[in-house]
Amino acid sequence: ILHLIYSRFWTKVMRDLGLVHNSEPAQRLFTQGMVIKDGAKMSKSLGNVVSPDDMVAKYGADATRMYTLFAAPPDRDLDWHDAGVEGVSRFLARVYRLVAQNPTKDAAAAKYTLADLSPKGKKVARKLHQTIKRLSDELGGRWHFNTCVAALMEFTNECYAASELFANPKPGVERGFVADVQRNLALLLQPFAPYLAHELWTILGENGNLLRAPWPKYDAALAKEDEVEIVVQINGKVRSRLTVATEADEEQVRKSALADEKVKAAIEGKEIVKVVVVPRKLVNIVVK
């Protein structure tokens, strides 16, 4: 921490001399965690416990960089595991296949509503806009890059769940939608895996510099979930799960929980003392 003390000392000296007007060297301090492997920390005295050159040579710069961001929040210590880099490398290979095997470079991104899409397409669209929102919020100041990478993985999984959509999209809105998804995926990936993102950008027929492309914007209506899963507990123990409308009020959720077959079987012959509803999270039924 000595460099922080020195920076404050010199700032106050220059303030007293009239060279600057501020009393502190920074408005905000963000302290990074250490990188540790097998109990040894990376430092100037101990050197690099993990050789970046070896990691880049084996897995590539993108996988090495993305694992560093994914393994821990930036303000926490990172416990390094080589197998984690390999896992991120496999994820990036999945992203590459999602775009490179069926690129939509001849299709223009289309404007669409959920009504224009198939059920699986709706899920992909919703997850896309939720991912854009999540990354925009994190990169805007929170800096939890690990959750950004997790969100990209979740989005990629949603795309693979609708693999037939990407393998052979129908001409028109559906193909334009896939084009929009693929381009946005490259844009979202760029801060974390810039080399792969640029490769995908080129595969999609984009000639401009990806670094200068505008950051995608999310549609709040598309990012909003229509349904949410509710956990149903009986005396604190999970007995069932319900899918209810996001806008359902407490009474509707309560009735749905009591009407569930698993719940009815579990409370048969027992007296209901009270039903506690936590909106969009859980229902706890207290019986005796």
Side-chain angles (χ1 to χ4, degrees):
I1 63 171
L2 289 179
H3 63 287
L4 301 176
I5 297 174
Y6 298 148
S7 66
R8 295 190 75 225
F9 171 79
W10 281 107
T11 301
K12 294 181 187 301
V13 168
M14 291 188 289
R15 177 204 61 191
D16 293 347
L17 292 173
L19 299 176
V20 298
H21 299 291
N22 52 298
S23 296
E24 298 292 343
Q27 291 183 340
R28 179 184 179 190
L29 173 65
F30 187 90
T31 304
Q32 268 184 224
M34 302 290 292
V35 180
I36 300 170
K37 184 178 182 182
D38 299 329
K41 67 179 181 180
M42 295 193 190
S43 65
K44 286 187 290 185
S45 60
L46 297 176
N48 285 324
V49 179
V50 178
S51 170
D53 291 340
D54 292 345
M55 290 293 102
V56 170
K58 189 172 183 179
Y59 299 109
D62 279 342
T64 304
R65 181 202 323 268
M66 183 173 266
Y67 172 70
T68 304
L69 298 174
F70 177 56
D75 57 338
R76 302 286 183 87
D77 289 344
L78 189 164
D79 193 4
W80 186 276
H81 296 282
D82 291 354
V85 191
E86 183 178 355
V88 172
S89 179
R90 290 197 299 269
F91 160 68
L92 292 176
R94 295 185 78 218
V95 173
Y96 178 81
R97 292 193 297 270
L98 187 66
V99 176
Q101 288 182 349
N102 294 285
T104 53
K105 60 182 179 180
D106 58 338
K111 290 186 177 181
Y112 53 85
T113 64
L114 292 180
D116 301 322
L117 305 174
S118 65
K120 288 189 176 181
K122 290 177 182 178
K123 290 184 178 180
V124 172
R126 203 175 292 285
K127 182 62 75 172
L128 169 62
H129 287 269
Q130 289 172 348
T131 304
I132 296 173
K133 182 181 185 303
R134 190 169 175 183
L135 266 64
S136 299
D137 292 343
E138 295 292 357
L139 295 175
R142 291 188 62 202
W143 302 343
H144 288 182
F145 307 125
N146 58 315
T147 64
C148 291
V149 178
L152 287 170
M153 291 178 173
E154 292 172 8
F155 174 59
T156 302
N157 289 339
E158 194 68 68
C159 290
Y160 269 92
S163 56
E164 66 277 10
L165 177 66
F166 290 84
N168 189 29
K170 298 175 183 177
V173 173
E174 190 173 273
R175 186 166 179 79
F177 166 66
V178 172
D180 183 58
V181 170
Q182 291 180 331
R183 282 159 178 76
N184 277 313
L185 180 57
L187 287 165
L188 295 171
L189 190 68
Q190 190 271 137
F192 311 96
Y195 294 110
L196 175 59
H198 277 267
E199 175 71 12
L200 299 179
W201 197 245
T202 303
I203 289 174
L204 291 171
E206 300 289 345
N207 297 319
N209 189 340
L210 177 58
L211 289 173
R212 297 187 178 277
W215 183 253
K217 296 181 179 179
Y218 67 90
D219 185 321
L222 290 175
K224 186 177 180 181
E225 288 283 7
D226 286 336
E227 296 179 329
V228 64
E229 186 178 71
I230 299 287
V231 173
V232 182
Q233 299 176 337
I234 298 177
N235 290 345
K237 293 184 178 181
V238 177
R239 296 298 185 181
S240 186
R241 296 177 186 273
L242 300 174
T243 300
V244 299
T246 305
E247 303 301 328
D249 59 27
E250 290 190 17
E251 183 59 26
Q252 290 173 318
V253 174
R254 180 181 181 278
K255 288 181 178 179
S256 297
L258 293 174
D260 182 82
E261 292 300 326
K262 292 181 181 178
V263 172
K264 288 197 297 186
I267 65 175
E268 186 177 2
K270 298 178 182 178
E271 179 185 349
I272 297 176
V273 178
K274 63 179 177 179
V275 178
V276 179
V277 178
V278 180
R280 303 187 65 178
K281 290 187 178 180
L282 63 85
V283 177
N284 186 33
I285 304 170
V286 180
V287 299
K288 65 177 182 179

